[in-house]
Amino acid sequence: MDPLTLDQLRVLVAVADSGGFSAAARRLGRAQSAISQSIQALEAHLRLKLFDRSTKLPKLTEPGQAILAEARRLLKSAEMLRARADSIAGGLEAELTISVNPLLPSAPAMRALHGLKKEFPTLPMTLLTEGIGAPERHLRDGTVQLAIYPVEEIAHLDLEAELLMMVELVPVVLASHPLAAEPGPISRATIADHVQLILTDGSPRGGWTKGVLSPRTWRFADLNTRMNFLLEGFGWCHMPKHVAAPLIAEGRLKRLQMQEHDGFTLALHVVHERGRPPGQAGRWLIARLKQELAEAALCPPVIPEA
């Protein structure tokens, strides 16, 4: 067994902070001889002289000052370790892993995650933000505990889903695109002459098929890349209203009026495997997300009928 102990480091810090062996003894409620013996044992183990005892009050040597700094760091780490153990014993996850669909509004999500960091400062976090099919894939292969994505059918025998919000998607195009000059409502025949930018997850299903109106399509794996192509005028697409609204207000995008399928909604859920409910931090984050989405007027209470 290594003779170096946390107690010796605590005694070292107490002596340095209180200014002497007797003062450290009073501070720790021990005999002065016990304090002296602890420091001597620490010096013998480290093969270093930590205190200059030639003066009335012991003074840290240069090596002693360096060791004191490391002792403080190790004691802090030990405190964090104890706090982590207590939290886990109390029901906190050892780590929180989540995969998030890009449809989740970033501002409310960031506020919720800031709150999570403040509430559980020692909790390790893994947040995966990939393409539209990644959250369910990560959930099913056990990579994450929670996944946030649109669930079209809730009756999965192996999954449990809880509604977070309804995401409204609206048809938009670059304001300088030829389609923006078409008077509305725009017919499907007119739409068919222009490229529609759609999202795909790389699966055999090909991603979302809802709202696909044009036979001419360009497919993208993530929302941000598709946004870049939209703003370059490559075509039109359905974008989340909370993402498109500022760009429409700025005049960069135009909201299209369609004769049919003039936008649609997707139900965004937080999903976990049945029998593996979220732990303390996961439950806290779900509640905080709902609160932030509600305050941003992005969290309708019910799923609309199909």
Side-chain angles (χ1 to χ4, degrees):
M1 295 291 291
D2 195 326
L4 178 64
T5 67
L6 290 176
D7 185 69
Q8 292 170 346
L9 300 181
R10 292 191 187 94
V11 171
L12 170 63
V13 171
V15 173
D17 289 348
S18 58
F21 290 88
S22 59
R26 291 192 297 272
R27 178 175 176 176
L28 296 177
R30 305 182 190 181
Q32 180 174 339
S33 59
I35 298 298
S36 298
Q37 290 171 5
S38 180
I39 294 297
Q40 290 171 3
L42 181 60
E43 289 178 322
H45 177 68
L46 298 177
R47 300 190 300 277
L48 292 172
K49 185 178 180 181
L50 303 178
F51 288 96
D52 180 358
R53 298 172 176 79
S54 63
T55 57
K56 183 177 180 180
L57 294 176
K59 182 179 179 181
L60 278 169
T61 62
E62 185 174 342
Q65 292 174 355
I67 296 300
L68 176 64
E70 289 298 317
R72 293 189 193 279
R73 183 183 63 80
L74 289 171
L75 290 172
K76 181 66 174 177
S77 295
E79 291 174 5
M80 294 176 63
L81 175 63
R82 184 176 293 108
R84 283 275 290 133
D86 290 343
S87 297
I88 293 172
L92 181 67
E93 300 92 325
E95 180 180 8
L96 184 58
T97 55
I98 305 176
S99 185
V100 179
N101 184 281
L103 289 179
L104 182 68
S106 60
M110 286 297 180
R111 289 193 293 270
L113 290 170
H114 273 299
L116 180 76
K117 181 181 178 183
K118 184 177 181 180
E119 186 73 15
F120 305 100
T122 63
L123 176 70
M125 177 78 175
T126 298
L127 184 65
L128 303 178
T129 54
E130 302 176 38
I132 60 173
E136 182 173 351
R137 185 171 65 251
H138 286 311
L139 184 65
R140 290 186 178 280
D141 66 19
T143 304
V144 300
Q145 300 153 315
L146 298 174
I148 297 176
Y149 63 95
V151 178
E152 295 183 2
E153 297 180 3
I154 302 179
H156 295 286
L157 295 178
D158 59 337
L159 300 177
E160 291 189 19
E162 183 177 349
L163 177 66
L164 276 182
M165 65 176 294
M166 299 302 299
V167 181
E168 183 179 357
L169 292 101
V170 296
V172 293
V173 73
L174 187 69
S176 60
H177 189 279
L179 196 55
E182 291 286 341
I186 303 173
S187 68
R188 180 183 281 266
T190 301
I191 285 292
D193 291 334
H194 299 276
V195 171
Q196 182 174 356
L197 312 176
I198 63 176
L199 292 173
T200 182
D201 60 5
S203 70
R205 295 179 302 173
W208 296 332
T209 58
K210 195 172 184 179
V212 178
L213 304 179
S214 175
R216 301 174 59 190
T217 60
W218 283 29
R219 298 175 180 269
F220 300 85
D222 68 275
L223 197 68
N224 290 332
T225 300
R226 188 182 67 163
M227 172 66 86
N228 292 335
F229 278 74
L230 175 67
L231 294 175
E232 287 293 332
F234 281 89
W236 72 277
C237 68
H238 287 96
M239 287 293 293
K241 187 176 180 179
H242 62 266
V243 174
L247 296 170
I248 294 173
E250 293 172 8
R252 299 179 66 188
L253 295 180
K254 181 181 178 181
R255 165 74 151 89
L256 299 175
Q257 300 297 326
M258 307 289 202
Q259 280 186 356
E260 57 180 295
H261 216 340
D262 192 31
F264 58 95
T265 59
L266 291 174
L268 198 62
H269 291 76
V270 57
V271 189
H272 64 84
E273 288 185 305
R274 193 175 298 277
R276 292 184 60 194
Q280 183 181 350
R283 294 192 303 271
W284 189 97
L285 180 60
I286 293 170
R288 186 59 175 268
L289 269 174
K290 288 184 175 181
Q291 176 187 335
E292 294 292 346
L293 291 169
E295 291 178 358
L298 292 169
C299 190
V302 296
I303 303 176
E305 295 182 3

